[in-house]
Amino acid sequence: MSEAVVPDAMVSPAVGGLHGEKAGGPAVDFSYVGIDAILEQMRRKAMKQGFELNIMVVGQSGLGKSTLMNTLFKSKVSRKSVLATAQEKIPKTIEIKSISHDIEEKGVRMKLTVIDTPGFGDQINNENCWQPIMKFINDQYEAYLQEEININRKKRIPDSRVHCCIYFIPPTGHCLRPLDVEFMRRLSKVVNIVPVIAKADTLTLEERDFFKKKIREELRANGIDVYPQKEFDEDAEDRMINEKIREMIPFAVVGSDQEYQVNGRRLLGRKTKWGTIEVENIAHCEFAYLRDLLIRTHMQNIKDITSSIHYEMYRVRRLNENNTVMASAELERTDAQYPSTSESPSSVTC
């Protein structure tokens, strides 16, 4: 008769004698509790639930917004790629268009939503052109708030809040336009803004460095805090990493979803008569730094700041407004019930 095999996990730690002594096996570490297993539990739960990321792209037509998004996620995720319409006319007003995709890589699932803003900055008069974008961002906060305050709310509230806004700056090489300054000044208070210099291959290296320095000076002069914001650095290590990122902002990027063969290697790039601009080569442009910030190093932090800072500020403001309205309504009701001063609640006797 064959002996029954007992799995190791079912064997009592105390088998084999006192103080962890086991015949024919390693000593049992009685000091180990197993708290570190929470990391694996969190990983499994996160893998089951998947992740959500909502990115808004803002900038004039022709700056390569759709191409950059396709390059970031190595797939056709932009609005134009999906709709594949004929030549679009410039809309008379700003339109907000979003499209979602389910992306999976090495078993990790993510719902990516790309929000485009066609019509921004394309008109002769661009006064207040940021207002539809501001309204859209606040509408997503409001939808989340309403779900959150429901008595019977969902186990997991769908997150349509805008986690990051990539703002495309035209490669003029001179300075920010008043439109750029006003947009970032207003929107940086409600969303994480990451400014990029679009089509940076149109600038020489000297022009690019001068332009980046000029933009940083203008951001400081106008009190514009772009992501990552200094006040949200959690510790010295974060501060050191984020300072390096802040020194690179705005990222000078080049996007391309075309593959080319260069020295036996296949790579994404833009072919010119002077050579091939390699998108992921940091000597050619700063696309790799932008990708690492948005996806590989700071994605969760971007979402956390959206939830704990931007959305929280909106939530507090809205709840205060509701309390003020309720207090005013209660005061009006009391005045209607006791119209004369002599009949106020304090003077009525039982």
Side-chain angles (χ1 to χ4, degrees):
M1 181 182 295
S2 61
E3 296 181 359
V5 178
V6 182
D8 292 342
M10 296 177 63
V11 177
S12 171
V15 172
L18 300 175
H19 310 298
E21 297 175 0
K22 285 181 67 176
V28 176
D29 183 5
F30 284 101
S31 65
Y32 177 71
V33 177
I35 297 173
D36 59 343
I38 187 66
L39 296 176
E40 178 60 22
Q41 296 171 38
M42 292 170 65
R43 189 191 71 83
R44 285 202 307 268
K45 184 176 180 180
M47 293 281 282
K48 288 180 182 178
Q49 291 180 342
F51 300 89
E52 294 170 310
L53 181 65
N54 307 318
I55 296 182
M56 173 179 278
V57 289
V58 180
Q60 285 180 269
S61 299
L63 291 181
K65 302 188 296 295
S66 299
T67 303
L68 184 70
M69 294 308 297
N70 293 341
T71 311
L72 273 173
F73 293 96
K74 299 288 195 300
S75 52
K76 303 291 185 180
V77 299
S78 68
R79 174 181 59 88
K80 286 186 177 179
S81 299
V82 174
L83 297 179
T85 57
Q87 184 66 31
E88 297 179 356
K89 295 181 179 179
I90 295 176
K92 294 182 179 179
T93 58
I94 294 176
E95 301 173 5
I96 310 293
K97 297 184 177 181
S98 62
I99 189 160
S100 298
H101 304 264
D102 290 320
I103 299 176
E104 185 169 344
E105 184 180 55
K106 295 184 178 179
V108 179
R109 292 180 295 106
M110 185 176 73
K111 181 183 178 183
L112 171 69
T113 301
V114 179
I115 304 131
D116 198 358
T117 55
F120 177 84
D122 292 334
Q123 312 303 320
I124 295 174
N125 181 6
N126 290 302
E127 186 178 1
N128 298 329
C129 64
W130 55 82
Q131 287 182 351
I133 298 172
M134 177 85 81
K135 181 179 183 302
F136 178 86
I137 293 171
N138 286 332
D139 285 348
Q140 308 317 304
Y141 289 151
E142 181 66 23
Y144 194 91
L145 176 62
Q146 292 305 318
E147 287 286 351
E148 200 174 44
I149 63 179
N150 278 342
I151 296 175
N152 298 317
R153 61 183 180 182
K154 298 175 182 176
K155 184 178 180 181
R156 189 181 183 197
I157 301 174
D159 191 359
S160 62
R161 297 171 296 183
V162 180
H163 299 127
C164 177
C165 172
I166 304 178
Y167 186 73
F168 287 70
I169 300 169
T172 61
H174 301 296
C175 61
L176 290 175
R177 302 167 301 168
L179 173 61
D180 302 326
V181 173
E182 195 63 20
F183 177 89
M184 288 191 281
R185 188 178 67 81
R186 290 174 180 270
L187 271 293
S188 61
K189 295 178 175 61
V190 298
V191 70
N192 297 312
I193 289 186
V194 177
V196 301
I197 299 172
K199 296 190 173 181
D201 53 326
T202 60
L203 301 171
T204 66
L205 294 179
E206 292 77 14
E207 290 171 337
R208 190 179 80 180
D209 291 342
F210 173 80
F211 195 27
K212 285 162 64 74
K213 182 180 177 182
K214 187 72 175 175
I215 290 172
R216 286 195 292 269
E217 290 174 356
E218 292 190 65
L219 291 176
R220 282 193 295 269
N222 288 280
I224 299 171
D225 287 329
V226 297
Y227 183 84
Q229 302 90 331
K230 285 185 179 180
E231 59 266 37
F232 304 145
D233 293 343
E234 295 182 358
D235 51 39
E237 184 182 0
D238 278 353
R239 193 177 307 113
M240 183 177 66
I241 294 171
N242 291 341
E243 279 299 334
K244 292 181 180 179
I245 295 172
R246 284 188 278 265
E247 289 172 3
M248 286 189 227
I249 285 177
F251 297 103
V253 298
V254 177
S256 174
D257 46 15
Q258 298 293 318
E259 285 192 358
Y260 295 98
Q261 191 89 14
V262 178
N263 297 328
R265 296 180 298 123
R266 293 198 65 80
L267 48 84
L268 292 174
R270 285 168 54 84
K271 200 172 187 65
T272 70
K273 64 181 181 179
W274 298 281
T276 302
I277 299 164
E278 301 175 23
V279 168
E280 300 194 28
N281 188 337
I282 58 174
H284 293 188
C285 74
E286 295 171 338
F287 168 82
Y289 294 125
L290 174 66
R291 178 202 56 208
D292 289 353
L293 176 73
L294 294 178
I295 302 173
R296 301 186 180 182
T297 62
H298 284 64
M299 181 192 291
Q300 188 58 48
N301 185 254
I302 286 172
K303 295 177 64 176
D304 289 344
I305 289 180
T306 298
S307 180
S308 62
I309 305 296
H310 297 306
Y311 169 69
E312 191 65 18
M313 289 175 62
Y314 178 86
R315 187 186 70 86
V316 170
R317 187 175 75 248
R318 284 287 288 114
L319 294 181
N320 282 336
E321 289 173 0
N322 288 345
N323 290 338
T324 302
V325 171
M326 291 174 64
S328 299
E330 180 65 21
L331 184 60
E332 290 176 4
R333 187 185 67 79
T334 303
D335 290 344
Q337 188 174 359
Y338 304 101
S340 64
T341 307
S342 60
E343 295 178 356
S344 63
S346 59
S347 62
V348 173
T349 57
C350 298

